Amino acid sequence: DSLPPSNKRMVVQLEQRSSHWFDTDYVKVLSDSYAVFEYDFENLSFLQEKDIQKSLWYLPLGGDPGLVRLPNHKTKWDLIFFGDLRSERRRKMLDALQAEFDVKVVTETFGHDMHELIRQARFVINIHYFTPPSLEVFRIFESLSLGVPVISEDTANAWWFRDELKSSVRFFDFDSTTSMIRVVRDALKL
């Protein structure tokens, strides 16, 4: 009831195809919309299969690969993780990090308050929620826009962003605690 009429509605589609939000109601909103902008190239065929091709546009994300820490930036933690902790896989990986590093875990905090917390970490750690995952580019670009580099779990679609992110994001192997710990150790040596 709160959405604009379908003939005037343009949607920026941000969900991953493995998300529980991608239900029949969500697909109907997309298919009824005047335009749907999709950021993930691999989602295009998935959306086309859902009969959304008539209004579908590819709109890749981008950012400044030269983003670096802000001047006079003091840190409190080695790493900050922000997101949903209902994933057992995520919790296990965070437990492994917390056994060796100073990690701030934040849930249910958004906007300015979250940004202030992010700025107090040396790195943001990105551990994917969904399987199979798409690279969580919104979390990455949000962190980079605050001047904080990212250590991210790899994905099949990360190659789309590798050149753009190579100076600001370090990747570790998907679902590998060993690879994650190794990459974090190397990053913190700087």
Side-chain angles (χ1 to χ4, degrees):
D1 293 336
S2 63
L3 292 174
S6 61
N7 64 337
K8 295 181 180 181
R9 181 174 56 231
M10 294 192 289
V11 177
V12 178
Q13 197 299 112
L14 305 178
E15 291 300 328
Q16 295 185 31
R17 62 181 170 262
S18 52
S19 166
H20 65 281
W21 292 104
F22 237 118
D23 60 13
T24 54
D25 291 337
Y26 184 71
V27 170
K28 176 139 179 53
V29 167
L30 295 178
S31 64
D32 290 348
S33 296
Y34 175 74
V36 176
F37 299 101
E38 172 58 50
Y39 75 96
D40 185 344
F41 187 76
E42 292 185 351
N43 272 354
L44 291 177
S45 60
F46 173 75
L47 292 171
Q48 289 169 345
E49 291 169 9
K50 300 285 184 190
D51 225 8
I52 300 172
Q53 65 266 19
K54 66 176 172 33
S55 59
L56 186 60
W57 298 85
Y58 176 55
L59 183 65
L61 294 179
D64 181 352
L67 292 170
V68 294
R69 181 153 316 279
L70 301 171
N72 302 321
H73 186 84
K74 294 183 181 178
T75 60
K76 287 186 180 180
W77 311 288
D78 295 328
L79 304 164
I80 187 167
F81 169 84
F82 59 99
D84 193 328
L85 291 178
R86 288 180 285 179
S87 164
E88 183 176 335
R89 189 180 76 79
R90 258 186 180 174
R91 285 194 316 272
K92 285 180 181 179
M93 294 179 87
L94 286 168
D95 287 346
L97 285 171
Q98 289 176 314
E100 186 171 339
F101 309 105
D102 187 9
V103 182
K104 174 76 171 172
V105 176
V106 182
T107 61
E108 300 302 320
T109 302
F110 307 98
H112 178 74
D113 293 340
M114 186 68 237
H115 293 167
E116 288 304 312
L117 293 171
I118 291 170
R119 286 186 180 109
Q120 296 176 59
R122 288 183 63 190
F123 290 90
V124 168
I125 187 76
N126 181 42
I127 302 168
H128 299 298
Y129 185 91
F130 298 107
T131 303
S134 289
L135 188 63
E136 295 183 23
V137 290
F138 296 101
R139 176 182 313 236
I140 290 172
F141 282 121
E142 178 179 21
S143 303
L144 295 179
S145 75
L146 298 169
V148 181
V150 177
I151 300 170
S152 179
E153 190 170 24
D154 210 349
T155 65
N157 72 331
W159 65 274
W160 277 101
F161 302 96
R162 285 250 195 243
D163 286 342
E164 191 171 1
L165 299 174
K166 66 183 170 191
S167 65
S168 306
V169 179
R170 296 165 185 254
F171 290 95
F172 60 91
D173 296 338
F174 177 73
D175 207 25
S176 172
T177 302
T178 304
S179 175
M180 176 183 67
I181 297 291
R182 186 184 73 251
V183 170
V184 170
R185 283 179 186 151
D186 288 346
L188 292 175
K189 286 180 188 174
L190 299 175

